[in-house]
């Protein structure tokens, strides 16, 4: 099945994964680094890396915001 993984700036990668794939497996297949991520969402809803995804889902990897004074 196909799932889309979206990184900062709207950059996305579409990956093919097996049925019952987890969020973590999809992110890994897309080659996205989550070490600095604050949040992960699937179809705009908060998600955990262990959650199962479905065909057509969109995973957003939201990074920590740094900066300021």
């Amino acid at each position: 099945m196909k799932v889309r993984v979206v990184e900062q700036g709207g950059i996305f990668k579409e990956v093919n994964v097996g049925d019952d794939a987890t969020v973590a497996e999809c992110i890994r297949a897309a080659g996205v680094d989550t070490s600095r991520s604050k949040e992960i969402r699937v179809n705009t809803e908060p998600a955990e890396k262990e959650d199962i995804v479905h065909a057509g889902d969109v995973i957003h990897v939201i990074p920590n915001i740094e900066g300021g004074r």
Side-chain angles (χ1 to χ4, degrees), residues 34-52:
T34 60
S35 63
R36 300 179 76 192
S37 297
K38 174 183 175 186
E39 185 176 1
I40 297 173
R41 291 182 170 263
V42 175
N43 303 326
T44 72
E45 296 296 322
E48 300 294 327
K49 290 183 178 181
E50 303 81 24
D51 292 348
I52 302 297

Side-chain angles (χ1 to χ4, degrees), residues 1-5 13-19 21 25-26 29-30:
M1 72 178 159
K2 291 186 179 184
V3 176
R4 198 175 270 191
V5 180
K13 297 177 184 173
E14 193 166 78
V15 296
N16 286 309
V17 292
D19 293 341
E25 291 170 329
C26 295

